[in-house]
């Protein structure tokens, strides 16, 4: 599916990095970005988001390039999306729908699928004014995966009933996860969670440390479902290491809420390994984004070690950096080659000597 990407620079953040991220998201969803149309505005146009002149430019590019999809790097209102589709005569999806679609493709566990469907229904419910028959005629495609066609034919009442049922399922799954976690706490098992921006290399690092064989790929949101494995740390004994979903800027609010149960592993960890793509030009901004999401889910008080990953690409060597209190601040590793993994294992072992527990309020180490 050939797609034209659209981005408007409102003078906030790194616009070019955000547009590059949109291209990665589009590719991850299965689209083929063929062009990027950009512009500058002080605020969105109420009707077409980009204004009529820019909309005409997008329509011309779609026709010239034979593209059948327009992907906006922003959240569109239902009215803006509807007006744009009428004007451009192709399907239009926004950043929120794009991320939701990737999640729908990647969710493998029962819990993950329930969470994705809940998030999609909450998002789609705001767009009921478009009419389900309009959506059904599109025969699926990017932005329309997840809830089946039977849901797309229902009214608000049935959507509400489905959402209520899915929330009930999630609560049950959350209780099961809580039981498992309490069993770990009773056995005093030290818990470590990998967190970080999407595509930072968390799953590759998880596989290197646990030999778990979890799916890892150079794409956004390769991992959606939390995976936990026991890992032996010499004299320390066994710990539990968990791989979690990657964070991203402007993560749809529906997903932050729906994935709360999955992120429970992060909230109740004794230590967070914050994996950073050391060669990313926007790594500092990504660190801030991750810490913002951690604050949203109540995990910002958990001790944190920054794992500077991909040193094999950046030409750095393995090493450990300490702060002024002689606490480990950063560990430099390559999850791909294994360089520095022993240093990271030692850093985790050292952290078990002063374990964090949920009732504590130890200040997290950060790179800010």
């Amino acid at each position: 599916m050939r797609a034209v990407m659209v981005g408007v620079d409102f003078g906030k953040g790194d616009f070019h990095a955000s547009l590059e991220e949109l291209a990665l998201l589009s590719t991850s969803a299965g689209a083929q970005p063929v062009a990027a149309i950009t512009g500058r505005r002080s605020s969105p146009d109420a009707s077409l988001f980009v204004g009529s002149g820019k909309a005409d430019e997008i329509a011309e590019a779609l026709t010239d390039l034979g593209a059948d999809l327009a992907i906006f790097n922003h959240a569109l209102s239902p009215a803006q999306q509807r007006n744009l589709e009428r004007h451009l005569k192709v399907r239009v999806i926004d950043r929120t729908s794009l991320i939701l679609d990737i999640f729908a493709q990647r969710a493998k566990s029962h819990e993950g699928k329930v969470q994705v469907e809940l998030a999609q229904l909450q998002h789609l419910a705001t767009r009921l004014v478009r009419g389900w028959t309009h959506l059904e005629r599109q025969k699926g495609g990017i932005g329309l995966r997840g809830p089946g066609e039977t849901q797309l034919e229902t009214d608000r009442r049935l959507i509400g009933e489905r959402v209520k049922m899915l929330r009930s399922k999630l609560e049950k799954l959350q209780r099961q996860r809580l039981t498992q976690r309490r069993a770990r706490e009773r056995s005093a098992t030290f818990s470590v969670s990998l967190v970080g921006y999407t595509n930072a290399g968390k799953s590759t690092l998880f596989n290197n440390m646990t030999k778990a064989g979890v799916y890892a790929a150079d794409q956004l949101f390769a991992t959606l479902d939390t995976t936990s494995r026991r890992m032996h740390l010499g004299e320390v004994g066994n710990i539990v290491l968990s791989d979690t979903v990657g964070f991203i800027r402007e993560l749809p609010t529906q997903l932050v809420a729906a994935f709360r149960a999955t992120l429970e592993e992060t909230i109740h960890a004794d230590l967070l390994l914050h994996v950073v793509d050391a060669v990313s030009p926007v790594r500092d901004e990504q660190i801030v984004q991750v810490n913002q999401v951690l604050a949203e889910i109540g995990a910002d008080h958990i001790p944190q070690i920054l794992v500077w990953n991909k040193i094999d690409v950046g030409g750095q060597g393995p090493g450990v950096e300490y702060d002024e209190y002689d606490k480990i601040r950063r560990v430099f590793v390559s999850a791909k080659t294994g360089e520095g993994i022993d240093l990271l294992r030692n850093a985790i072992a050292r952290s078990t000597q002063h374990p964090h527990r949920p009732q504590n309020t130890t200040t997290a180490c950060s790179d800010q």
Side-chain angles (χ1 to χ4, degrees):
M1 185 176 287
R2 293 166 67 83
V4 168
M5 301 182 301
V6 181
V8 179
D9 186 357
F10 294 109
K12 298 176 182 177
D14 191 320
F15 175 68
H16 293 293
S18 179
L19 205 59
E20 288 174 7
E21 192 171 87
L22 181 68
L24 284 172
L25 284 167
S26 302
T27 303
S28 294
Q32 179 189 352
V34 292
I37 306 294
T38 62
R40 291 180 67 91
R41 291 183 67 91
S42 58
S43 62
D45 178 76
S47 177
L48 293 169
F49 192 85
V50 292
S52 57
K54 185 61 69 173
D56 289 339
E57 182 185 339
I58 297 166
E60 187 177 338
L62 286 162
T63 302
D64 291 346
L65 296 167
D68 48 10
L69 181 67
I71 302 177
F72 279 67
N73 193 28
H74 313 274
L76 300 174
S77 72
Q80 288 168 335
Q81 186 174 358
R82 188 166 63 253
N83 293 338
L84 282 164
E85 288 186 341
R86 286 173 181 161
H87 192 96
L88 302 177
K89 297 179 173 56
V90 299
R91 274 204 9 88
V92 172
I93 65 170
D94 62 5
R95 184 184 175 89
T96 301
S97 298
L98 184 63
I99 293 174
L100 286 170
D101 184 83
I102 296 171
F103 274 59
Q105 293 183 55
R106 302 278 165 76
K108 294 294 185 288
S109 72
H110 175 59
E111 183 177 5
K113 289 175 181 177
V114 169
Q115 289 166 329
V116 170
E117 184 177 353
L118 177 59
Q120 285 194 307
L121 286 174
Q122 289 171 326
H123 180 63
L124 287 170
T126 65
R127 282 152 169 75
L128 275 174
V129 66
R130 301 173 68 200
W132 292 120
T133 53
H134 165 74
L135 290 172
E136 188 195 3
R137 280 201 303 271
Q138 303 299 334
K139 301 296 182 187
I142 294 174
L144 295 176
R145 274 179 268 260
E149 287 182 356
T150 52
Q151 269 67 56
L152 300 180
E153 295 164 353
T154 57
D155 58 13
R156 288 186 185 273
R157 179 180 60 81
L158 291 178
I159 290 287
E161 289 175 1
R162 181 72 179 166
V163 166
K164 185 177 178 181
M165 184 273 288
L166 290 170
R167 282 182 173 152
S168 176
K169 270 190 179 180
L170 272 182
E171 286 172 8
K172 183 179 179 182
L173 291 165
Q174 196 169 9
R175 285 195 298 271
Q176 291 173 354
R177 196 180 285 275
L178 179 62
T179 302
Q180 294 168 354
R181 187 168 56 248
R182 281 176 176 166
R184 280 210 308 266
E185 288 173 358
R186 281 197 298 270
S187 64
T189 306
F190 192 82
S191 176
V192 180
S193 280
L194 295 172
V195 298
Y197 209 77
T198 182
N199 208 31
K202 294 182 302 300
S203 294
T204 303
L205 181 63
F206 183 79
N207 286 337
N208 194 309
M209 297 183 74
T210 65
K211 313 303 178 190
V214 169
Y215 177 68
D218 185 17
Q219 56 185 203
L220 302 188
F221 299 121
T223 299
L224 286 189
D225 302 306
T226 298
T227 305
S228 298
R229 293 286 187 275
R230 286 190 177 275
M231 191 176 86
H232 191 68
L233 274 186
E235 294 179 2
V236 172
N238 288 328
I239 67 164
V240 172
L241 184 67
S242 298
D243 187 19
T244 62
V245 61
F247 300 160
I248 195 167
R249 78 188 83 197
E250 299 170 42
L251 184 70
T253 54
Q254 300 96 328
L255 281 175
V256 172
F259 273 74
R260 178 91 187 199
T262 297
L263 295 172
E264 283 281 311
E265 291 296 329
T266 301
I267 299 170
H268 294 276
D270 296 305
L271 175 69
L272 300 181
L273 298 182
H274 184 160
V275 184
V276 179
D277 180 350
V279 296
S280 170
V282 289
R283 65 191 182 196
D284 292 335
E285 185 182 335
Q286 291 177 350
I287 289 170
V288 171
Q289 294 286 337
V290 170
N291 285 330
Q292 284 177 352
V293 177
L294 289 174
E296 282 183 46
I297 65 172
D300 51 332
H301 61 287
I302 301 171
Q304 199 184 105
I305 293 176
L306 286 164
V307 182
W308 228 242
N309 189 28
K310 305 186 183 180
I311 59 171
D312 55 307
V313 180
Q316 293 172 281
V320 179
E321 181 180 291
Y322 297 86
D323 64 15
E324 62 269 31
Y325 305 106
D326 199 35
K327 291 183 179 178
I328 294 174
R329 184 165 180 264
R330 277 192 287 198
V331 181
F332 298 84
V333 307
S334 168
K336 186 177 180 180
T337 67
E339 292 177 273
I341 297 298
D342 286 344
L343 295 175
L344 182 57
R345 290 172 66 92
N346 291 338
I348 297 170
R350 178 171 168 169
S351 297
T352 64
Q353 297 167 14
H354 306 284
H356 157 83
R357 292 301 175 199
Q359 66 268 25
N360 292 346
T361 54
T362 309
T363 303
C365 229
S366 74
D367 195 45
Q368 299 168 58

